[in-house]
Amino acid sequence: MVIVEVSLLSGFVLAPGSRTLLERRTTVKKIEVKADVVYIYLEKLSDESQTFILQLEQVIQMKNLKPASIKVYDYYQPGGLQIPSYSGVGS
């Protein structure tokens, strides 16, 4: 099993509809949402590229918003591969 750990940007939460869309994907086994982190559990990874879109809602206006991080790691060997940071994309 593989975990995608997404740290949320300060002042943001996962939009309710985003969780439902993620759970419909066949590769997603489970989703956990904690205060400022979303954990996406995948059955396995393959050589095929996958894109996960998380819709976030801003609940608190923040100044000087800092980038957040994403980690991808094996559940049984949590050393992980870390993607340094990401920034929000407004719509």
Side-chain angles (χ1 to χ4, degrees):
M1 184 173 352
V2 176
I3 299 175
V4 179
E5 180 181 315
V6 182
S7 297
L8 298 180
L9 297 163
S10 297
F12 285 81
V13 296
L14 184 67
S18 185
R19 181 180 182 140
T20 304
L21 289 173
L22 286 170
E23 289 173 336
R24 289 184 185 162
R25 296 185 60 153
T26 57
T27 56
V28 175
K29 189 169 186 174
K30 174 180 163 183
I31 297 172
E32 285 183 2
V33 181
K34 300 207 173 168
D36 58 351
V37 182
V38 176
Y39 298 93
I40 304 169
Y41 294 80
L42 306 175
E43 189 65 44
K44 61 182 177 178
L45 283 182
S46 67
D47 292 339
E48 293 182 30
S49 176
Q50 295 185 43
T51 302
F52 295 92
I53 298 173
L54 281 70
Q55 296 176 339
L56 305 178
E57 291 181 359
Q58 189 170 17
V59 293
I60 300 172
Q61 189 72 18
M62 302 294 287
K63 290 185 179 183
N64 301 323
L65 194 61
K66 303 289 187 238
S69 65
I70 299 173
K71 295 179 185 176
V72 180
Y73 53 90
D74 186 315
Y75 180 80
Y76 302 104
Q77 296 177 349
L81 162 67
Q82 183 169 347
I83 299 170
S85 64
Y86 74 94
S87 298
V89 177
S91 57

